[in-house]
Amino acid sequence: MLNRNARLTAAAVVATGLALTGCSSTTGASTGGPVTITFWGWASGYDKSVALWNESHPGIQVKYEAIANGGAGGYDKMFTAAKAGTAPCLAQIGYETFASFLAAGLLQDVSEHTKARRAEFPDWVWGNVGIDGKIFGVPVDTAPMGLFYRSDLFKNAKIEVPKTWEEFGKAAAAVKAADPKSRIMNLPTDPYLYAGFAWQGDAPWFGVNGDAWTVSVNSAANGKVAGYWQGLFDQDLVTSYPAFDAALYTAWNSGKVWAEVGPVWSASLIRDNAASSAGKWAVAPMPRWDGADTVGNSGGSATAVMKGCAHPKEAAEFALWMSTDDKSVSNLIESAAILPASKSGLASKALDAPESYYGGQAIYQLFRAESAKVNPNWRWGPVMSTTASALGDGLGKVAAKSATFQEALNAAQTGTVSALQAQGFSVSK
């Protein structure tokens, strides 16, 4: 009998025509030699953590193979390999894409090999790597959001750093009044960045109702979040540069855009693209909604165990070690600037270092505290590529003033439901 998870995923397996066979990327146990596990990923520093493991675990050797970033072809490579029966035992997969692999039946249940260590990670993080309490990988990092701001400009203009979204709106008006050529922030038109605002606002996009998926991208809760940004845009209180664009980076440097509400990885994005404003930025908690002390998350990844892995116990053991061992986590913090998902990783002293770009502020201490406040009520869906594409197109039209936020949400809702039904999923209203 198929359990609920299996029923939610089986349709996609049939629809994609995947004929899964055992992975050919593990060797050893039957020959009496060390178990060898292949691991595909792209993040900086993963190779060093693997080397640390191999030095101290001669019986389980991990062969790391760097591949293209998931969105740049890495995920396609994984799907193709899984179809051919040559997938690795382990793979780096972002939380936003994890559900797609899970729905396609490409991941292996390792609940029995991880349950004893569940308490070493926050509960909400496990929700990104499983369904119905079953676990298919180990979390590596998270990306809680915060308010990055030009402390020099706020101080000179005597504008208080906003703590709520109501105060943020007032600060936006004050920034424009102080300098009519400047704005407080750029409109969030990247769909995955925007998801972090919906996440914080308790405005989920996906859910499960019995054997069916639910889609609520254009719900009333999402309309509230979208309406807030529509209001700022209509009042000409935010800029509309393309996301991740050189024009936005120039505006950060020149002081034409004073702030950015973004995930922890925005720290390096701003630092690396607004170098001439070094020392003038600081970080504060993400503004709150209606007194709710919760934040959004936009990013993070896991080490997934692929379907057919011949040594899931050993694979899970390595994945848990990579996310919790002090030397491995310190290496990943230094090499990839991650915010660890594990509680022991978050306790790392490497996160206490002052950041000269941010005026000597130990900004990762703030994100360490904020990671415990991520809204736990969020679930990614199995057709996120379609959802993100539809929403991204719509938000681009908002910036061009040819559509509204609500129209963008409506288009993403319609596109998502159609994609789910086309792949054989049941969709509940």
Side-chain angles (χ1 to χ4, degrees):
M1 172 180 164
L2 292 175
N3 61 21
R4 185 159 68 119
N5 172 37
R7 289 196 296 269
L8 287 166
T9 61
V13 177
V14 173
T16 54
L18 294 176
L20 297 176
T21 61
C23 297
S24 61
S25 57
T26 55
T27 61
S30 62
T31 61
V35 170
T36 300
I37 298 169
T38 301
F39 177 20
W40 286 2
W42 59 84
S44 299
Y46 273 33
D47 56 339
K48 295 180 181 177
S49 284
V50 168
L52 289 169
W53 165 273
N54 286 338
E55 288 175 4
S56 55
H57 296 77
I60 306 173
Q61 292 292 284
V62 177
K63 180 183 178 184
Y64 181 71
E65 296 180 1
I67 63 171
N69 181 296
Y75 293 141
D76 289 340
K77 181 180 176 70
M78 292 177 193
F79 270 95
T80 300
K83 190 174 182 179
T86 58
C89 201
L90 293 166
Q92 177 184 354
I93 299 178
Y95 296 146
E96 79 290 340
T97 307
F98 206 94
S100 297
F101 276 84
L102 184 58
L106 302 181
L107 304 181
Q108 187 151 327
D109 183 353
V110 290
S111 301
E112 66 175 303
H113 306 307
T114 56
K115 62 182 179 182
R117 300 183 63 178
R118 287 283 296 264
E120 296 182 35
F121 299 78
D123 285 341
W124 76 265
V125 180
W126 285 113
N128 286 275
V129 295
I131 192 168
D132 272 357
K134 293 186 176 181
I135 300 302
F136 297 80
V138 175
V140 175
D141 63 314
T142 65
M145 298 173 76
L147 169 60
F148 299 82
Y149 67 99
R150 285 285 299 268
S151 58
D152 57 328
L153 300 176
F154 273 84
K155 180 178 180 181
N156 291 341
K158 295 182 172 53
I159 299 173
E160 293 290 328
V161 177
K163 297 179 181 178
T164 67
W165 285 114
E166 181 179 3
E167 292 178 1
F168 188 88
K170 293 178 180 177
V175 168
K176 183 179 177 182
D179 181 355
K181 294 183 179 179
S182 296
R183 299 293 183 270
I184 193 169
M185 187 177 147
N186 196 49
L187 197 66
T189 56
D190 176 80
Y192 288 109
L193 173 61
Y194 182 76
F197 295 99
W199 188 322
Q200 181 203 27
D202 210 15
W205 291 356
F206 293 93
V208 172
N209 182 12
D211 298 342
W213 286 92
T214 62
V215 183
S216 52
V217 181
N218 65 346
S219 66
N222 274 288
K224 176 184 176 181
V225 177
Y228 179 85
W229 290 104
Q230 184 73 56
L232 293 183
F233 187 57
D234 289 345
Q235 297 173 69
D236 190 25
L237 297 179
V238 291
T239 57
S240 55
Y241 299 112
F244 308 111
D245 188 84
L248 174 60
Y249 304 152
T250 299
W252 285 342
N253 252 332
S254 65
K256 297 306 179 187
V257 173
W258 290 22
E260 171 75 3
V261 179
V264 61
W265 49 262
S266 294
S268 56
L269 180 74
I270 295 171
R271 180 198 63 203
D272 296 344
N273 292 286
S276 65
S277 52
K280 298 177 181 177
W281 289 82
V283 185
M286 185 181 193
R288 287 350 193 212
W289 283 109
D290 303 329
D293 192 18
T294 57
V295 301
N297 184 82
S298 181
S301 65
T303 307
V305 179
M306 300 292 287
K307 191 76 173 181
C309 174
H311 301 290
K313 176 178 179 296
E314 290 82 359
E317 181 180 351
F318 165 76
L320 285 163
W321 176 92
M322 190 177 85
S323 292
T324 58
D325 178 79
D326 184 59
K327 289 183 178 179
S328 173
V329 171
S330 295
N331 163 60
L332 295 177
I333 292 173
E334 179 180 356
S335 301
I338 70 161
L339 187 74
S342 67
K343 295 177 181 176
S344 62
L346 284 171
S348 172
K349 293 182 179 178
L351 297 176
D352 295 326
E355 298 291 324
S356 59
Y357 182 86
Y358 291 94
Q361 181 183 359
I363 64 171
Y364 294 103
Q365 291 180 342
L366 182 147
F367 286 107
R368 169 195 285 153
E370 293 292 271
S371 69
K373 300 176 182 178
V374 172
N375 188 329
N377 304 320
W378 182 265
R379 180 195 297 275
W380 293 107
V383 291
M384 270 310 302
S385 59
T386 296
T387 305
S389 178
L391 183 59
D393 288 346
L395 295 180
K397 294 177 181 176
V398 174
K401 298 185 178 179
S402 61
T404 65
F405 264 88
Q406 188 60 53
E407 288 170 341
L409 297 183
N410 291 342
Q413 172 82 14
T414 300
T416 299
V417 171
S418 295
L420 284 169
Q421 292 173 335
Q423 293 188 29
F425 291 104
S426 296
V427 180
S428 175
K429 296 184 178 178

